Amino acid sequence: MTMLPIDQMIDIARGTISREIFVAPEFHREELDKLFTRAWLFVGHESQIPNKRDFFVSRMGDESVILCRDTLGKVHVFLNSCRHRGMKVCRYESGNTSLFVCPYHSWSYTTDGKLQGVPLYRVLYEGNLDRAEWSLIETPKLEIYKGTVWASWDPAAPDFMTYLGDAVDHLDQVLDCRDGRPGGSEVIGIHKWILPANWKFAAENFLGDTYHNPSHRSVDMIGIGPSARAGQTGRRDNEYNKGQHVWVNYPAGHGVHSVWMPPDFEYQPSYMQYPIVDEYFRHCFNERKQRLGDKARIMPFTGNLFPNTSYHGRQPRGLCVWHPHSPTETEAWRFFLVDADAPAEVKDVLRRFYMRYSGPAGMTEQDDMENWLYATKASTGTIARRYPFNYQQSMGATARGDFMAGDVSVQITEQNARNYYQVYARYLKGDGWDSLLGRGDVVRQAAE
Amino acid sequence: MTPPLRGPAWFALKQDVEDFLYMEADLLDQRMFREWLDLLAEDLVYFMPIRRNVKFGQHAEKENTRQGEGISWFDEDKWTLGKRVEQILTGVHYAEEPLSRVTHMVSNVRLLEVAPSVDDAAEVVVGCRFLVYQNRVEYETNTFVGRRIDTLRRNGDSWLIARREMILEQNVLMAKNLSILF
């Protein structure tokens, strides 16, 4: 059990959370030991390793891992570290190989992780080293959902769909084709960058912090959206103007901000200066409505799948992973998504919009990075750390929605964050999976 | 195009182009963003690839992301750069409010191509190195170093930038933002 006074620092009933969890090295260490070793983490996308022997080097928490498709087509995730002296066995970002050869002493591993080559084996190791026991370290849990690859280091972790729970209804809106066919996305590019901030600021931002809208005033004023050249202000098309915004959280810690559209909702013109793209999305919109029925009424904005995989659902569209380097530094990776079979002109307009919106060169997200940096920096001081953050927004205003699974709010709320940190606390206390999945939560909700 | 002969006309042209690049850098460092925009051709391409770690022998094919495909740090036009300037000038673009202090160093200037001729240059391709120093608020400092290949088009007594490719010598971007202009 942990010695950190977690319940005192994460006081959900009062709606306060200590700054220590954002800046203290002890919390960083505990997160790596107790959270990132257990939770399901996003590793990559099948479109990055379409062929046998393809690999893509990714990260889980603060560690490098290799996502790899073996010679039989099976997908694996390995720790990128030689079993002999720990050297990275792969320092290329992606490629195709039949062997991972360690540069240090030349131990080599096949694409299914098995130790194959040990120089001078007969002379130096025969009788002592059993190669079968020295494969690359592999995640005991790996699942592929609609092209996305997820892994956990905990052999006792529940299957990914159980972990995801009802948040799947929203993740589907990110991963499914725009016309409602299941899956079908591809990664068209990746951003990797370092931000000097605690990783949870980023996760929380996507979890449903709609309240931070004023920090994006500059892009809303000037207009950078898909129809900006046609004179529209704002940073996106106004696709959802007739819908009910909802903020939904789930017992396993996930939180989303989506929109519940009225039954008779119609296509809103978008991508207005590109008639072909507008027509394409109109077509997809109508197909999707037909295909999904009532489920089509869910339109996604953002979300965060516990602990560190965030998404943008439509404009832009992609998955973001926040990898902690230290309490005050994060390595961010963003995977941009399009429908693999979308017309070339559509993909081109989308990638251009993604680039001007997202990441360190993105006009919208630059302001997020500024916030996260200085929120972290201004919380490291001795005096600052005595004063907790306020999480009291819309306390008690959440209701279990009758129109949508999960704990639903129809007003801007920090309930998603309160729920997230409640689950976070359970990981740090070393709780069992029943608790981590929120299976005792009926009591909690009644008590609130 | 054939490499130009290095006569007096060639050196005069090189000097003229260098002066233009230094003047342009100064506009950015003096925060004269609108004036800087005026130096961009209407059909400008502004491109900064993302660099990857690739196996020896695959650099030409795979090291840099490509213009017109997928995701790069920048792959955009004059309209988008105009938006970047407009955003800074709102005064509420917090990533550049307060404004960063920036110095652009330009060196290793070389004329790579001249058309149609050195005596009557309408378009030149210029290679250089950049070292861009950014300091913002109190302690935040970034140094961006790399190669640049610019295509300049004759515009009366001066030039317009028709293409700018910035090859930043980083893989994972070591700065939180690319909120400055290159």
Side-chain angles (χ1 to χ4, degrees), chain A residues 92-93 188 190-194 218 222-223 229 351-352 355 360-361 363 366-367 369-370 373-374, chain B residues 52-53 55 68 70 72-73 75 77 79 83-84 87 90 93-95 136 140 171 173 176-178:
Chain A
Y92 309 119
E93 288 174 69
I188 57 162
I190 302 167
H191 274 168
K192 302 176 187 178
W193 75 104
I194 303 292
S218 64
I222 66 168
R229 281 176 218 242
R351 72 178 189 92
R352 287 175 186 281
M355 281 186 282
M363 287 184 257
Q366 289 177 354
D367 291 326
M369 254 79 79
E370 189 83 356
L373 190 168
Y374 289 102
Chain B
R52 302 170 175 131
N53 296 308
K55 210 175 169 65
S72 294
W73 289 126
D75 184 359
D77 54 15
W79 177 83
K83 284 290 172 187
R84 291 185 188 277
Q87 184 184 23
T90 61
H93 175 29
Y94 300 107
R136 66 174 282 90
E140 202 186 343
N171 168 242
L173 185 73
K176 81 179 199 296
N177 275 336
L178 293 166

Side-chain angles (χ1 to χ4, degrees), chain B residues 41-102:
Chain B
E42 292 305 312
D43 58 346
L44 169 82
V45 171
Y46 185 79
F47 174 59
M48 183 188 284
I50 294 172
R51 317 286 303 283
R52 302 170 175 131
N53 296 308
V54 299
K55 210 175 169 65
F56 186 82
Q58 296 182 341
H59 289 87
E61 179 200 349
K62 283 179 66 180
E63 185 179 20
N64 295 353
T65 55
R66 287 163 192 268
Q67 188 198 330
E69 289 174 27
I71 299 292
S72 294
W73 289 126
F74 296 100
D75 184 359
E76 61 195 46
D77 54 15
K78 186 174 181 178
W79 177 83
T80 311
L81 282 169
K83 284 290 172 187
R84 291 185 188 277
V85 167
E86 214 183 313
Q87 184 184 23
I88 291 169
L89 299 180
T90 61
V92 290
H93 175 29
Y94 300 107
E96 277 300 325
E97 181 59 34
L99 284 169
S100 297
R101 289 164 287 274
V102 180

Side-chain angles (χ1 to χ4, degrees), chain A residues 38-183:
Chain A
R38 300 187 69 194
W40 280 94
L41 305 174
F42 176 78
V43 180
H45 194 282
E46 276 197 298
S47 64
Q48 299 176 287
I49 49 162
N51 303 309
K52 289 168 182 170
R53 301 180 198 86
D54 281 351
F55 67 88
F56 167 73
V57 173
S58 186
R59 294 182 73 80
M60 290 174 72
D62 65 342
E63 295 180 275
S64 176
V65 296
I66 304 170
L67 169 64
C68 179
R69 191 181 292 276
D70 71 20
T71 50
L72 300 174
K74 189 174 177 232
V75 174
H76 304 264
V77 173
F78 304 115
L79 194 69
N80 186 7
S81 181
C82 183
R83 295 297 304 275
H84 177 233
R85 277 303 173 278
M87 173 69 187
K88 278 189 177 186
V89 296
C90 185
R91 288 165 306 141
Y92 309 119
E93 288 174 69
S94 63
N96 184 283
T97 191
S98 51
L99 280 178
F100 295 102
V101 183
C102 178
Y104 200 173
H105 304 91
S106 287
W107 283 25
S108 61
Y109 301 86
T110 52
T111 53
D112 58 357
K114 292 200 172 65
L115 176 60
Q116 177 169 291
V118 177
L120 301 173
Y121 178 80
R122 289 237 170 110
V123 182
L124 305 180
Y125 287 102
E126 184 114 66
N128 294 317
L129 167 65
D130 177 1
R131 269 185 269 216
E133 288 182 8
W134 295 89
S135 302
L136 287 175
I137 297 158
E138 182 165 5
T139 57
K141 290 282 193 173
L142 181 151
E143 282 185 46
I144 299 173
Y145 181 65
K146 293 185 174 177
T148 53
V149 184
W150 304 76
S152 165
W153 290 113
D154 184 358
D159 65 81
F160 179 65
M161 295 313 287
T162 301
Y163 181 84
L164 193 52
D166 292 320
V168 69
D169 290 343
H170 301 263
L171 180 62
D172 279 348
Q173 311 316 317
V174 184
L175 301 181
D176 287 348
C177 285
R178 304 298 83 175
D179 63 6
R181 283 172 295 146

Side-chain angles (χ1 to χ4, degrees), chain A residues 250-269:
Chain A
Y250 304 90
H254 319 305
V256 304
H257 169 204
S258 293
V259 177
W260 180 239
M261 301 300 287
D264 58 345
F265 74 121
E266 294 294 331
Y267 178 75
Q268 300 295 316

Side-chain angles (χ1 to χ4, degrees), chain A residues 265-276:
Chain A
F265 74 121
E266 294 294 331
Y267 178 75
Q268 300 295 316
S270 50
Y271 301 91
M272 279 186 247
Q273 67 272 32
Y274 312 103
I276 294 174

